[in-house]
Amino acid sequence: MANDAEIRLRDRLSKLSGLDLLRGARLSGELERLKRQLDRIEADPTDEEIWSKVELARHEERPYTLDYVERLFEDWFELHGDRGRGDDAALVAGIGKLEGRTVALVGHQKGRDIKERSNRNFGMAYPEGYRKAMRVMEIAERHGFPLATLVDTPGAYPGVAAEQHGQGGAIARSQAVMARLKVPTVACIIGEGGSGGAVAIALADTVLMQENAIYSVISPEGCAAILWRDAGERQKAAAAFKPDAAHCLELGVIDGIVPEPVGGAHESHDEAARLLGAALADAFDELENVPQAELRARRRQKFRAMGVLA
Amino acid sequence: MANDAEIRLRDRLSKLSGLDLLRGARLSGELERLKRQLDRIEADPTDEEIWSKVELARHEERPYTLDYVERLFEDWFELHGDRGRGDDAALVAGIGKLEGRTVALVGHQKGRDIKERSNRNFGMAYPEGYRKAMRVMEIAERHGFPLATLVDTPGAYPGVAAEQHGQGGAIARSQAVMARLKVPTVACIIGEGGSGGAVAIALADTVLMQENAIYSVISPEGCAAILWRDAGERQKAAAAFKPDAAHCLELGVIDGIVPEPVGGAHESHDEAARLLGAALADAFDELENVPQAELRARRRQKFRAMGVLA
Amino acid sequence: MVEASRIDVSIEHKHAPEPPPKKHPNTCPTCGSHFRDDELDAALRVCTHCGHHFPVKARKRIEQLADRGSFVEEAADLRSADPLDFFDLRAYKERLAEAEIATGLGDAMVIGSATIEEQPCELAVMDFSFMGGSMGSVTGEKFARACESAAAAGMPLVTISASGGARMQEGILALMQLPKTVCAVEELHESGCALLSVMAHPTTGGLLASFASLGDVLLAEPGALMSFAGPRVVAQTTREKLPDDFGLAESNLRFGHVDAIVRRPELRPTLARLLRLFGES
Amino acid sequence: MVEASRIDVSIEHKHAPEPPPKKHPNTCPTCGSHFRDDELDAALRVCTHCGHHFPVKARKRIEQLADRGSFVEEAADLRSADPLDFFDLRAYKERLAEAEIATGLGDAMVIGSATIEEQPCELAVMDFSFMGGSMGSVTGEKFARACESAAAAGMPLVTISASGGARMQEGILALMQLPKTVCAVEELHESGCALLSVMAHPTTGGLLASFASLGDVLLAEPGALMSFAGPRVVAQTTREKLPDDFGLAESNLRFGHVDAIVRRPELRPTLARLLRLFGES
Ligand SMILES: [Zn+2]
Ligand SMILES: [Zn+2]
């Protein structure tokens, strides 16, 4: 398995080396980063390393979507409401200029203090949140704005009203809208990429993960509670289903890893933002070179190919 | 004014006479009908005649959408729900075969007895109803089904929850969806065509009115209450704003009048359905001859031209 | 009397906004402060004591928003006809003539091109003082022309709504301005241009049910009534006490129907920002 | 213990449906009636006393729906790999082998072409008895191939879902079956073909959050649980008593999430009718 990942990365490295559209400084940074990723994959992460990623992904000082927006976007304008029922603060959306380009952005948003956490529902969106996301995706499509999504949620909210308002259908339809878009799309998992609530906004041309983010079908605790019948076995569960970025890259689920400041993104929001911004801009630069007619077909083919058969 | 209408009708008569796609029996019926319409317009309806139309349009034995569906559609399948909040019984939607063609249908639905009237909210839809309509319009678009709409509402429901759920926006967006459709669309006012709640589903390629239907910017009572400061002056109001089919045809707001059985549609639901079915099928036959690329542009041009300037 | 279910379902009404008790128009209906005209104008017609937003007439609004001297009016010569020969307690023709004399406007909307902080755009601004800002054939036509001008120049259209709804005196043709303006927005959007819709007090009835709701971005002024049916009609129909903030911009924000409430002093910079974002079509 | 906000947000769970108290599988959990296998089969596995819908295995379902002898299976040879070398209390490989022996199926979905009342269609039928009908790489792949077969033949795809959600043992690759199947539906729709989605008990988690919700028409069997999060998870998170019909088909109909609830005896004629309507693509 590591061999496939190695081949993918080496392939990407060689492509990058020969590419002159990437700007000088960033290109060398990119090369450096990919080489580091390669080293890391060659040395398979230990169970402890995986668990430390889970903790970093959930670190309470970790930058959230709006921390990045504030640092990366000029002329940011937040858009509110689903035009039907409400405005879900667990998912923010808006438009702004990213390196001179008008970009639409959709991202989960956790709260920093107790009051905001509750207001943001710990980043767990209701269907209303996903409907706001779809609405803003359609604005992006109409005006040809590239779409960036930032994923950071323990999962879509599991509540009575959320079910009554159609949580499952909203997540399905949000993915369907992303599968239909003709504009370039880049998703980045910036913290917790929890299950359906995450993938709802992650059906993108390029899917990135920050170095210490996690992306998983279920939370380690949920998995432990079900498969081990003991939520305390969460470290064992995490080790078993490997939600870390290196493994997601290996499995072909993501297209690249965005480096974080030493010690994790919470150590310097500014530096984390700089690195994320560069990765997003590079990804959009690359996608700009794909003929528009091919973009969507490629995106669908990429997801069509996911999975491993015997 | 009557001259313009005469010219339009004569023009239509001469076109029809030379048309061999219309089936024999129906063609002569059509000619007969248009000649009767012409006679009627030449004799401008009196205030009493207008008021009797209002009463017939509201007659409690008048056939409603599902009475027509039952008589005209084979393999009818009703579709339910807006996929977000609820299923509004004041507006029904579904698909079925109309003379062998799969057609999507959206229509207001009033109730016949007290219980059903309340359940159907007197044909006054919530935003949820219009969202169901839009959903079914999109199914029609996806599969290339022509869309028929039957309009029969005193107006969209004016309630607190309806406002909170976005009544105005839903009506605007439902029209926008109809302006965007690439499939042929035919609307028919079959009873009361009350204001925004009516036009929400009436932005169609061909707009028909039954002989005794009314179509208006406000109810006669509402108009009287505001302009005469006395709701009792409703006959005066109706005479002033002329909601009857002949005047709507004159003003270029509708494209044709569908005859009713003598005495009104309530006298024979079967005969009323036969006449409506023939008119819908004819309208779709005609629209089938319009090149697909032109259809939408023509529809928009038609509405673009509505209004009278000094 | 007729049954409630008949009267109250009508959506168009001139009296949607509870009119402030008829004090002097420069007396704040919220806090009672009184202002001279020049004071109020200098404050963009916002009460300097309590923040109440006074109505703004179309030409004054354009002055507040557009770069000085940049506005070039279009279609100023359009006038309403009277297709129904409408006569209620007075003739429609008379009402029109009177409104023109009182406001100096040809109808309830002024359109033209302008720049805002140097960003080019088309403007379509409504005036509530012309027959309650009601939308008839002229308003619909002007709106459609504004869409066409914007599309031709490849620039966004900014609308400022202030209207009680469709103009009853034009009957069914007034209702047809809903689909007409909706079609115009669709054409504008297909040309790649944006619609930025600002809702001032009041934006009700046929306005909310047509172009005003179809903006790529929906902004509202604080305290603006934005409802399809007016509070009076809703109260009559449902026989319930309405919530205190029924239909207000603030309630609409909470229920997800607008993107932002923008205080008037921030309106020009906010529109400029949106024009920078949407401008390169 | 970990915080509730951590545990309970997970959406995938095997135990979503409250399992009927473990009586004999032919004993009705609602009214206690007991049936012989052949009796139950003759009644389409619906309790003849109270109408309870018993689970139906994939091959039995195909027998109930397809014209006799019309079903031609596809991709029967696909088997799951074990990309994570997953081992909880037991090895995933072992669970797979056991499920195959117990059910005679290669995975939780059977696909193939068939006719229903002579209307051609592609079928994709899930089997809850294969690891709780969980969706892993094989189910996702089979679904995608079913979409492709339908598109190639220009006929609708009929799916019958019965699943607890994504298969945890395949980790993130199981989650990726959501976007994978969504993309497959988009391609199917673009080819002009319809998706008719029938939700049997249970259709939860990743199934409801992907292809099962994207049908042109959504049908549900009476009493089927259709929820994104299972009742247990929701109860734990919200610490509220759940409504009696939480997540059931009947509640979903009321809230606008399905088009119709169809009793099993009417399922075949209903699908035939829909195939006549959607069939000529
Ligand atoms: Zn004041
Ligand atoms: Zn039973």
Side-chain angles (χ1 to χ4, degrees):
Chain A
M1 176 80 46
N3 276 355
D4 287 357
E6 248 187 82
I7 292 162
R8 282 163 54 91
L9 266 184
R10 286 194 193 287
D11 183 53
R12 202 163 144 71
L13 268 174
S14 65
K15 258 203 302 195
L16 276 174
S17 315
L19 222 58
D20 54 10
L21 339 115
L22 288 168
R23 283 141 289 179
R26 188 173 290 161
L27 176 58
S28 66
E30 174 84 345
L31 277 172
E32 196 47 49
R33 167 161 76 81
L34 285 173
K35 277 179 199 144
R36 282 213 316 274
Q37 287 177 208
L38 193 58
D39 293 344
R40 212 174 295 128
I41 283 176
E42 284 167 336
D44 215 18
T46 64
D47 292 5
E48 287 68 35
E49 278 165 353
I50 290 176
W51 186 250
S52 83
K53 303 270 182 205
V54 175
E55 289 182 324
L56 284 171
R58 295 170 170 180
H59 195 286
E60 55 179 30
E61 292 304 323
R62 194 168 176 88
Y64 299 145
T65 291
L66 289 177
D67 297 310
Y68 289 119
V69 161
E70 177 183 301
R71 288 168 175 82
L72 296 174
F73 282 75
E74 264 182 272
D75 281 331
W76 169 253
F77 190 85
E78 189 171 340
L79 298 165
H80 288 274
D82 69 347
R83 301 292 181 266
R85 184 192 291 270
D87 183 44
D88 188 343
L91 196 150
V92 297
I95 49 174
K97 295 254 188 197
L98 181 70
E99 304 209 342
R101 198 192 248 126
T102 298
V103 167
L105 179 132
V106 164
H108 299 100
Q109 179 66 32
K110 295 178 175 178
R112 193 66 72 190
D113 60 31
I114 289 176
K115 200 181 141 204
E116 199 199 352
R117 270 184 209 165
S118 142
N119 178 36
R120 303 277 186 193
N121 202 24
F122 303 90
M124 296 183 286
Y126 275 75
E128 285 72 8
Y130 296 108
R131 293 200 183 102
K132 172 165 66 175
M134 288 183 250
R135 188 173 79 70
V136 174
M137 289 171 194
E138 273 152 15
I139 292 175
E141 180 77 348
R142 189 187 295 146
H143 294 286
F145 301 153
L147 173 72
T149 69
L150 300 181
V151 176
D152 191 13
T153 181
Y157 186 64
V160 174
E163 292 294 334
Q164 290 173 341
H165 301 180
Q167 189 69 283
I171 292 173
R173 278 183 273 279
S174 180
Q175 292 173 74
V177 171
M178 290 192 79
R180 222 172 289 148
L181 293 175
K182 294 197 182 97
V183 294
T185 53
V186 177
C188 184
I189 323 291
I190 59 166
E192 290 181 273
S195 193
V199 83
I201 60 167
L203 200 164
D205 294 312
T206 304
V207 180
L208 305 172
M209 267 178 89
Q210 280 184 327
E211 208 176 326
N212 299 304
I214 57 171
Y215 196 12
S216 64
V217 69
I218 186 170
S219 69
E221 291 80 6
C223 180
I226 294 170
L227 293 186
W228 277 264
R229 307 210 173 90
D230 175 2
E233 297 284 28
R234 58 192 186 166
Q235 287 194 229
K236 233 181 241 176
F241 71 65
K242 305 184 175 74
D244 59 295
H247 279 108
C248 286
L249 189 69
E250 243 190 78
L251 292 166
V253 165
I254 63 168
D255 301 294
I257 299 177
V258 179
E260 296 184 19
V262 179
H266 62 281
E267 293 286 350
S268 166
H269 288 198
D270 288 345
E271 176 63 5
R274 201 188 60 71
L275 292 162
L276 177 63
L280 291 177
D282 281 356
F284 284 127
D285 286 346
E286 261 185 71
L287 293 172
E288 241 173 31
N289 294 320
V290 181
Q292 220 220 352
E294 270 180 46
L295 198 62
R296 186 166 78 170
R298 273 202 206 180
R299 185 190 312 142
R300 291 179 184 176
Q301 280 154 15
K302 181 178 87 163
F303 285 96
R304 171 71 183 79
M306 284 192 192
V308 175
L309 305 176
Chain B
M1 177 77 50
N3 277 354
D4 288 358
E6 248 186 83
I7 291 163
R8 281 163 53 91
L9 266 184
R10 287 197 192 283
D11 185 53
R12 204 165 141 71
L13 269 173
S14 65
K15 257 204 303 194
L16 276 175
S17 315
L19 221 59
D20 53 12
L21 337 117
L22 286 169
R23 284 140 285 178
R26 186 173 294 160
L27 176 58
S28 65
E30 174 84 343
L31 278 171
E32 197 47 50
R33 168 160 74 84
L34 284 172
K35 276 177 201 146
R36 281 212 316 275
Q37 288 177 203
L38 193 57
D39 294 345
R40 213 174 293 130
I41 284 177
E42 283 166 337
D44 216 16
T46 64
D47 293 5
E48 287 66 36
E49 280 166 352
I50 289 175
W51 186 250
S52 83
K53 302 270 182 207
V54 175
E55 289 181 324
L56 285 171
R58 294 170 171 181
H59 195 287
E60 55 178 29
E61 292 304 323
R62 196 171 174 84
Y64 299 145
T65 292
L66 289 177
D67 297 310
Y68 289 119
V69 161
E70 175 184 302
R71 287 168 176 81
L72 295 174
F73 282 76
E74 264 182 272
D75 281 332
W76 168 252
F77 190 85
E78 188 172 341
L79 298 165
H80 288 273
D82 69 347
R83 302 291 181 265
R85 181 192 293 269
D87 183 44
D88 188 342
L91 196 150
V92 297
I95 50 174
K97 295 256 187 196
L98 181 70
E99 303 209 344
R101 209 191 238 125
T102 299
V103 168
L105 178 133
V106 164
H108 299 102
Q109 179 66 33
K110 296 177 175 177
R112 195 65 69 190
D113 60 29
I114 291 178
K115 199 182 142 203
E116 198 198 351
R117 271 183 208 167
S118 142
N119 178 36
R120 303 278 186 192
N121 201 26
F122 303 88
M124 297 184 285
Y126 274 74
E128 285 72 9
Y130 297 108
R131 293 200 183 102
K132 172 165 67 177
M134 289 184 248
R135 189 173 79 69
V136 174
M137 290 171 193
E138 273 152 17
I139 291 175
E141 180 79 347
R142 189 187 296 146
H143 294 285
F145 301 152
L147 172 73
T149 68
L150 300 181
V151 176
D152 189 15
T153 181
Y157 187 64
V160 175
E163 292 293 336
Q164 290 173 341
H165 301 179
Q167 189 69 283
I171 292 172
R173 276 182 275 279
S174 181
Q175 292 172 74
V177 171
M178 289 192 80
R180 222 172 288 147
L181 293 175
K182 296 196 183 99
V183 294
T185 54
V186 176
C188 184
I189 324 291
I190 59 166
E192 291 181 274
S195 194
V199 84
I201 60 167
L203 199 163
D205 294 313
T206 304
V207 181
L208 305 171
M209 266 177 90
Q210 280 184 329
E211 210 177 324
N212 299 305
I214 58 170
Y215 197 13
S216 63
V217 69
I218 185 169
S219 69
E221 292 80 6
C223 181
I226 295 170
L227 294 187
W228 278 263
R229 303 209 175 93
D230 176 2
E233 297 283 27
R234 56 190 186 168
Q235 288 193 228
K236 234 181 240 175
F241 71 66
K242 305 183 175 74
D244 59 294
H247 279 109
C248 287
L249 189 68
E250 245 191 77
L251 292 167
V253 164
I254 63 168
D255 302 294
I257 299 177
V258 180
E260 296 184 18
V262 177
H266 62 281
E267 294 286 350
S268 166
H269 288 197
D270 288 344
E271 176 63 4
R274 201 189 60 70
L275 292 162
L276 176 62
L280 291 176
D282 281 356
F284 284 127
D285 286 346
E286 260 186 71
L287 292 173
E288 240 173 31
N289 296 320
V290 182
Q292 221 221 351
E294 270 180 46
L295 198 62
R296 185 167 77 171
R298 276 203 205 179
R299 186 189 312 145
R300 292 181 183 173
Q301 279 154 18
K302 181 177 86 162
F303 285 96
R304 170 72 183 77
M306 284 193 191
V308 175
L309 305 176
Chain C
M1 282 298 296
V2 290
E3 321 95 88
S5 71
R6 293 278 178 227
I7 290 190
D8 301 332
V9 296
S10 61
I11 59 149
E12 309 298 345
H13 42 84
K14 280 312 187 325
H15 308 293
E18 289 295 327
K22 272 291 165 210
K23 298 185 192 161
H24 188 280
N26 286 5
T27 300
C28 176
T30 307
C31 74
S33 305
H34 186 79
F35 301 92
R36 292 195 316 272
D37 256 347
D38 61 330
E39 283 176 335
L40 211 46
D41 282 355
L44 302 172
R45 303 190 54 81
V46 176
C47 174
T48 51
H49 292 107
C50 75
H52 171 78
H53 282 53
F54 285 83
V56 182
K57 292 192 202 305
R59 298 209 185 281
K60 184 70 75 184
R61 178 74 80 169
I62 292 164
E63 232 173 69
Q64 290 181 3
L65 293 176
D67 295 336
R68 184 187 298 265
S70 70
F71 181 70
V72 181
E73 189 168 350
E74 295 162 8
D77 54 324
L78 294 185
R79 291 294 180 280
S80 286
D82 181 13
L84 299 179
D85 232 335
F86 200 92
F87 191 97
D88 45 88
L89 300 178
R90 290 167 56 204
Y92 176 39
K93 283 198 188 76
E94 218 178 292
R95 290 186 191 270
L96 282 171
E98 188 187 87
E100 181 159 356
I101 291 164
T103 62
L105 299 174
D107 210 283
M109 183 184 272
V110 176
I111 66 167
S113 61
T115 60
I116 298 179
E117 292 187 6
E118 293 168 36
Q119 300 293 315
C121 66
E122 179 79 9
L123 282 174
V125 181
M126 300 195 74
D127 197 313
F128 192 74
S129 61
F130 192 104
M131 291 192 73
S134 59
M135 177 159 71
S137 297
V138 170
T139 298
E141 178 66 20
K142 281 190 165 184
F143 178 82
R145 292 202 192 173
C147 287
E148 287 157 2
S149 293
M155 62 198 185
L157 169 61
V158 175
T159 61
I160 318 279
S161 306
S163 168
R167 188 174 295 168
M168 274 178 291
Q169 289 86 350
E170 294 191 19
I172 191 69
L173 288 174
L175 185 63
M176 289 305 111
Q177 304 312 305
L178 276 65
K180 174 170 178 163
T181 58
V182 168
C183 287
V185 173
E186 285 305 308
E187 294 277 313
L188 176 74
H189 273 149
E190 254 153 59
S191 78
C193 297
L195 172 63
L196 307 175
S197 171
V198 180
M199 303 193 238
H201 178 75
T203 298
T204 58
L207 260 283
L208 200 67
S210 67
F211 73 83
S213 287
L214 297 178
D216 294 283
V217 178
L218 305 185
L219 307 178
E221 288 206 324
L225 178 67
M226 299 167 51
S227 67
F228 176 63
R232 207 172 288 181
V233 174
V234 173
Q236 271 177 16
T237 312
T238 59
R239 296 164 203 279
E240 282 171 33
K241 194 184 161 341
L242 304 188
D244 285 342
D245 65 351
F246 174 85
L248 297 190
E250 292 72 13
S251 162
N252 273 284
L253 182 66
R254 216 167 59 247
F255 284 101
H257 303 307
V258 283
D259 288 301
I261 295 176
V262 181
R263 295 180 57 254
R264 203 169 286 156
E266 278 103 55
L267 189 56
R268 182 173 140 90
T270 300
L271 286 172
R273 195 203 306 179
L274 289 169
L275 290 172
R276 286 193 295 273
L277 290 167
F278 281 99
E280 308 138 19
S281 76
Chain D
M1 281 301 293
V2 289
E3 321 95 87
S5 70
R6 292 278 178 225
I7 289 187
D8 300 332
V9 294
S10 59
I11 58 146
E12 309 298 346
H13 43 85
K14 279 314 190 319
H15 308 294
E18 291 293 328
K22 271 293 167 207
K23 297 182 190 161
H24 187 280
N26 286 6
T27 302
C28 176
T30 308
C31 74
S33 305
H34 186 80
F35 300 93
R36 290 195 319 271
D37 256 348
D38 61 331
E39 283 176 335
L40 211 46
D41 282 355
L44 301 174
R45 303 190 54 80
V46 175
C47 175
T48 51
H49 292 106
C50 74
H52 171 78
H53 282 53
F54 287 82
V56 182
K57 293 192 202 307
R59 298 210 184 282
K60 185 70 75 183
R61 179 75 79 169
I62 292 165
E63 232 172 71
Q64 290 181 3
L65 294 176
D67 295 337
R68 184 187 297 265
S70 71
F71 181 71
V72 181
E73 188 168 352
E74 294 162 8
D77 54 323
L78 293 186
R79 292 293 180 281
S80 288
D82 181 13
L84 299 180
D85 232 334
F86 200 91
F87 190 97
D88 45 86
L89 300 177
R90 289 168 56 205
Y92 176 40
K93 283 198 188 75
E94 219 178 292
R95 289 185 193 272
L96 283 171
E98 189 186 86
E100 182 161 354
I101 289 163
T103 61
L105 300 174
D107 210 283
M109 183 184 271
V110 176
I111 66 167
S113 63
T115 61
I116 297 178
E117 291 187 8
E118 291 168 36
Q119 299 294 316
C121 66
E122 179 80 10
L123 282 173
V125 181
M126 299 194 72
D127 197 314
F128 191 75
S129 61
F130 193 105
M131 290 191 74
S134 58
M135 178 159 70
S137 297
V138 170
T139 299
E141 178 66 20
K142 281 190 165 184
F143 177 82
R145 293 201 191 174
C147 287
E148 287 157 1
S149 294
M155 61 197 185
L157 168 61
V158 175
T159 61
I160 318 280
S161 306
S163 167
R167 188 173 294 167
M168 275 180 290
Q169 290 86 352
E170 294 191 18
I172 191 69
L173 288 174
L175 184 64
M176 289 306 110
Q177 304 312 304
L178 276 64
K180 174 170 179 165
T181 57
V182 168
C183 287
V185 173
E186 285 306 308
E187 294 279 312
L188 175 75
H189 272 149
E190 255 153 58
S191 78
C193 297
L195 173 62
L196 307 175
S197 171
V198 180
M199 302 194 239
H201 177 74
T203 298
T204 58
L207 260 283
L208 199 69
S210 68
F211 73 83
S213 287
L214 297 177
D216 295 282
V217 178
L218 304 185
L219 307 177
E221 288 205 323
L225 178 68
M226 297 167 51
S227 68
F228 176 62
R232 206 173 288 182
V233 173
V234 173
Q236 271 177 18
T237 312
T238 59
R239 294 167 204 280
E240 280 170 34
K241 194 184 160 341
L242 304 188
D244 284 343
D245 64 351
F246 174 84
L248 297 190
E250 292 71 15
S251 162
N252 274 284
L253 182 66
R254 217 167 58 248
F255 284 101
H257 304 307
V258 283
D259 288 300
I261 294 177
V262 182
R263 294 181 57 253
R264 204 169 285 155
E266 278 103 56
L267 189 55
R268 182 174 140 89
T270 300
L271 286 172
R273 194 201 308 178
L274 289 169
L275 290 172
R276 286 193 295 274
L277 290 166
F278 281 100
E280 307 137 21
S281 76

